[in-house]
Amino acid sequence: MKQPASIVCCTPFWGDNWKWFAPELDREQLRWYFYADKSRGELERYLRTSVFRTCLEAVRCAKQQQADLLFTHNPRLSLWCVLFATLLGVQTNHIAYSFNFHNLPHGLRYHLYKWACKKISKFVVYSQWEKEFYSEYFDIPPERIEMRFWSMAVPQIEPEEPLETGDYICAIGGNARDYETLMAAMAKLPDIKMVIVVRPHNLKNLSVPPNVKALVNIAESQAMNILKYSRFMVLPLKGSEVPCGHITLVAAMHLGKAFIITNSIGVSDYVLPDRNAITCEAFSPDALAKAIRNLWNDPAKCQQLGENGRQFAQKYCASDLGRQHLQRLLFDFLNADESRCTQMHADKFPISN
């Protein structure tokens, strides 16, 4: 009987939700080994060493199980898995999913990533710009990088009733956000209420005007409640070449919410100006305030953008599409390995007529 293929997955900690694809693929005789970057105890949380332990455990499992595939999610985990795999002599195909940087590595970190990239079989990114840029920046052959849209289910909302009363707009997220420009814009719009859902570091040295309410580290389902019941969302990015905000903008589209976003080539695959979003010049409080005021005063435009966004998300960013892509990607690698093994066996022991 054929032995099931084994896949080791090393991911950030998001509860059990990164196992969403495994039950569907279990029918194909696969064995899954999951390792999530979750701190064990206060000391590890304080020292922030959980990533090293998690990656080491994942690579040790890959070695013990003679894994057919190592699957990592985010560049930092990918890098440390490559380092430990090299030290332990583990050789297996490696897919680096969500290969996305909100701060590019430089100096020694850059050289480490460039070295590690040569040992990774496949990269998955969320924008065409990232595919082209990372290929050049890290010297990765373009055929080893695959672009696909960020896929997710319609966000869960908790509770069902609005957490925030009244009419307001919102901003959500922490990576590569330009909240300084957004706060300067909101100071020019004292009659418009905004709720921002951020991380503590986003508020450091930030001057928050009276018409803005800041919520820190709330549950994802609560953040989605804030988004759902807002009039629209603003997504300010730190520049015109920032490949961040994909999760937030796709969530907004799934919920049928209009949004204003910095005009960045890093999200241009998702943003159709004046069709599913309003784009705005980077680092310009005046331009952003004008865009917010115009959309606030145009409910029909807001509704139209939201509906167009919903249709875009259903067509390109649905969770089923993500599962189908991941299934194809995994089995392309596993079947390729099996084909190579079969060919090697045939070359070594040719069949004579």
Side-chain angles (χ1 to χ4, degrees):
M1 181 178 178
K2 179 184 175 181
Q3 290 293 319
S6 57
I7 301 176
V8 175
C9 300
C10 186
T11 71
F13 178 69
W14 297 317
D16 290 332
N17 63 359
W18 188 243
K19 300 180 181 180
W20 49 267
F21 54 85
E24 181 174 323
L25 301 184
D26 273 343
R27 297 196 302 267
E28 304 293 339
Q29 290 293 304
L30 299 178
R31 290 181 301 185
W32 300 94
Y33 301 90
F34 287 92
Y35 293 86
D37 176 20
K38 181 183 181 182
S39 297
R40 295 177 185 171
E42 291 299 325
L43 181 61
E44 191 173 77
R45 186 177 296 108
Y46 176 77
L47 296 176
R48 298 182 178 180
T49 57
S50 61
V51 63
F52 312 126
R53 172 190 48 77
T54 303
C55 292
L56 179 58
E57 290 176 348
V59 171
R60 282 176 171 170
C61 176
K63 183 173 185 177
Q64 181 182 5
Q65 301 298 329
Q66 296 184 329
D68 298 278
L69 188 63
L70 175 63
F71 184 95
T72 56
H73 191 289
N74 96 16
R76 192 179 184 208
L77 293 175
S78 300
L79 170 64
W80 283 103
C81 280
V82 169
L83 286 168
F84 287 127
T86 301
L87 290 172
L88 298 180
V90 177
Q91 295 184 353
T92 187
N93 281 319
H94 181 174
I95 297 176
Y97 214 81
S98 289
F99 196 73
N100 170 269
F101 293 87
H102 60 273
N103 287 314
L104 282 170
H106 298 283
L108 177 60
R109 287 180 66 243
Y110 164 73
H111 290 289
L112 282 173
Y113 272 108
K114 188 174 181 180
W115 166 80
C117 286
K118 297 183 184 303
K119 298 178 178 292
I120 295 174
S121 313
K122 192 78 172 181
F123 302 82
V124 177
V125 300
Y126 298 127
S127 69
Q128 189 64 31
W129 179 82
E130 287 177 286
K131 176 177 178 176
E132 297 168 1
F133 181 81
Y134 296 153
S135 174
E136 181 177 350
Y137 192 73
F138 295 109
D139 194 23
I140 304 170
E143 63 271 14
R144 286 168 53 201
I145 307 178
E146 183 172 337
M147 180 268 169
R148 72 150 289 102
F149 287 100
W150 172 263
S151 301
M152 61 185 291
V154 177
Q156 293 185 342
I157 309 296
E158 291 182 0
E160 293 184 4
E161 63 275 8
L163 285 171
E164 195 67 33
T165 59
D167 205 5
Y168 65 93
I169 61 176
C170 74
I172 295 173
N175 286 339
R177 299 301 201 268
D178 182 14
Y179 284 117
E180 184 176 355
T181 295
L182 178 57
M183 293 303 99
M186 291 306 299
K188 300 174 182 292
L189 304 166
D191 58 311
I192 298 178
K193 177 183 177 182
M194 169 172 268
V195 180
I196 61 173
V197 180
V198 297
R199 300 171 186 169
H201 71 85
N202 297 122
L203 296 177
K204 187 176 181 180
N205 300 322
L206 187 69
S207 178
V208 180
N211 57 325
V212 176
K213 179 178 181 179
L215 302 176
V216 180
N217 288 345
I218 65 174
E220 180 181 351
S221 58
Q222 294 176 321
M224 293 299 102
N225 179 292
I226 297 296
L227 174 58
K228 177 180 178 180
Y229 291 107
S230 67
R231 189 181 290 197
F232 59 84
M233 181 183 77
V234 183
L235 208 169
L237 297 172
K238 286 187 174 181
S240 58
E241 294 184 346
V242 176
C244 294
H246 302 106
I247 298 175
T248 307
L249 68 87
V250 171
M253 288 195 288
H254 270 308
L255 292 175
K257 308 305 296 186
F259 60 94
I260 299 171
I261 188 168
T262 304
N263 189 8
S264 170
I265 194 171
V267 294
S268 60
D269 300 283
Y270 302 77
V271 175
L272 307 175
D274 293 323
R275 290 181 59 192
N276 66 358
I278 300 296
T279 59
C280 186
E281 178 186 352
F283 307 123
S284 176
D286 289 339
L288 183 54
K290 182 179 179 180
I292 292 172
R293 172 65 70 191
N294 288 343
L295 191 55
W296 179 266
N297 290 337
D298 194 345
K301 180 72 170 179
C302 196
Q303 184 175 1
Q304 179 188 21
L305 292 172
E307 182 55 35
N308 290 345
R310 191 198 307 274
Q311 293 176 16
F312 183 98
Q314 290 173 347
K315 184 175 181 179
Y316 297 108
C317 306
S319 58
D320 285 346
L321 298 176
R323 272 191 286 270
Q324 293 167 14
H325 166 260
L326 188 54
Q327 181 169 346
R328 176 191 60 75
L329 187 63
L330 295 177
F331 281 103
D332 279 352
F333 272 93
L334 297 177
N335 291 337
D337 273 354
E338 184 177 341
S339 297
R340 282 195 295 269
C341 290
T342 302
Q343 185 60 49
M344 289 172 61
H345 184 85
D347 292 342
K348 189 173 182 180
F349 305 104
I351 300 175
S352 56
N353 294 324

